[in-house]
Amino acid sequence: MKGFIIVSEKDNVATALQNFQKGQSIAGVVLQEDIQSGHKFALKDIKAQELVIKYAEAIGSASCDIKAGAWVHIHNILGIRGRGDKE
């Protein structure tokens, strides 16, 4: 078992299936911080306002630049679904 999920070549994040530690090389990136099971990490650099793609679907947009290997969560993405202020 590889310990993470990447569903599509479009994905720019992966979901951890186990806890990983900062500095580990996972899915071709060096983790910038500890990643807990069930959480996402960036597979490449994601620029501010770029779409965050998980399971081949846009799940949000980056609220700031996100480095490859960084934890991706509510502190650095904005939801784009179900928002009346966004089209």
Side-chain angles (χ1 to χ4, degrees):
M1 183 168 108
K2 55 186 176 181
F4 59 89
I5 298 173
I6 301 171
V7 170
S8 170
E9 62 190 30
K10 297 176 185 177
D11 292 354
N12 57 12
V13 297
T15 302
L17 297 176
Q18 64 188 60
N19 294 338
F20 292 116
Q21 294 182 344
K22 178 180 178 177
Q24 283 186 274
S25 181
I26 307 295
V29 298
V30 176
L31 297 180
Q32 302 299 307
E33 50 204 304
D34 293 345
I35 307 295
Q36 298 300 309
S37 179
H39 287 257
K40 300 172 293 299
F41 59 94
L43 295 170
K44 66 177 200 81
D45 289 346
I46 303 171
K47 295 193 180 292
Q49 300 181 2
E50 184 178 343
L51 291 177
V52 176
I53 309 295
K54 175 181 167 183
Y55 306 155
E57 295 288 330
I59 62 164
S61 65
S63 60
C64 60
D65 290 345
I66 303 170
K67 296 281 188 191
W71 179 38
V72 177
H73 199 55
I74 61 172
H75 68 287
N76 56 10
I77 65 172
L78 299 171
I80 58 172
R81 295 181 181 187
R83 289 188 58 176
D85 63 333
K86 300 285 182 184
E87 294 193 24

